[in-house]
Amino acid sequence: SQVVEAIAEIAVLKIKTCSARDIANILWACARLVYRNDELEVAVSQEVLLRPEDFGSQDVSNLAWACAKLLWRRKHFLQGLETICMKKAAELQVQACASTVWAFAKLELLSQQFLHTVVA
């Protein structure tokens, strides 16, 4: 829809001023709407990888879930997200942990190392 397109354009322009939670919520909303936008995907990917320490465990779980729902195949980003998730694993609540494991399994990126780190 035109409204969603307009929101995506604004999000791309303002992504650098968004909080980590805002970025995770933007991608989560796109996934709920099954909405894909290449410019927004690039902007989100770049911003997450530039400041991974800003993203909390729930944020990375939401990002992983959204990527799986949208079937993202941005390998560089997904590898970076996997690393971020493993660093935040100890902070994950049970639901977020399950959601994150599901997301990486859905994306066919569920390595033994990831599984061991996140579930341990």
Side-chain angles (χ1 to χ4, degrees), residues 28 31-32 60-73 78 81 85 92-111 114-115 118-119:
W28 181 88
R32 292 289 297 160
V60 295
S61 178
N62 289 347
L63 288 167
W65 179 87
C67 289
K69 289 297 278 186
L70 294 170
L71 295 175
W72 271 26
R73 298 291 183 217
L78 294 172
L81 186 60
C85 286
L92 287 172
Q93 300 295 321
V94 174
Q95 180 62 41
C97 182
S99 178
T100 303
V101 170
W102 170 84
F104 278 89
K106 175 86 173 163
L107 293 166
E108 299 176 357
L109 296 171
L110 193 59
S111 69
F114 177 81
L115 191 57
V118 173
V119 177

Side-chain angles (χ1 to χ4, degrees), residues 6-60:
I7 292 169
E9 287 178 28
I10 292 168
V12 168
L13 293 173
K14 298 193 175 269
I15 198 87
K16 293 200 177 300
T17 63
C18 290
S19 71
R21 178 66 44 98
D22 291 341
I23 293 169
N25 288 343
I26 289 167
L27 194 58
W28 181 88
C30 288
R32 292 289 297 160
L33 295 170
V34 192
Y35 172 77
R36 296 204 52 177
N37 177 298
D38 284 338
E39 284 183 72
L40 184 58
E41 288 180 21
V42 168
V44 165
S45 297
Q46 289 174 341
E47 206 56 34
V48 171
L49 296 178
L50 281 174
R51 50 187 176 121
E53 65 284 343
D54 292 354
F55 290 82
S57 58
Q58 187 63 51
D59 301 327
V60 295

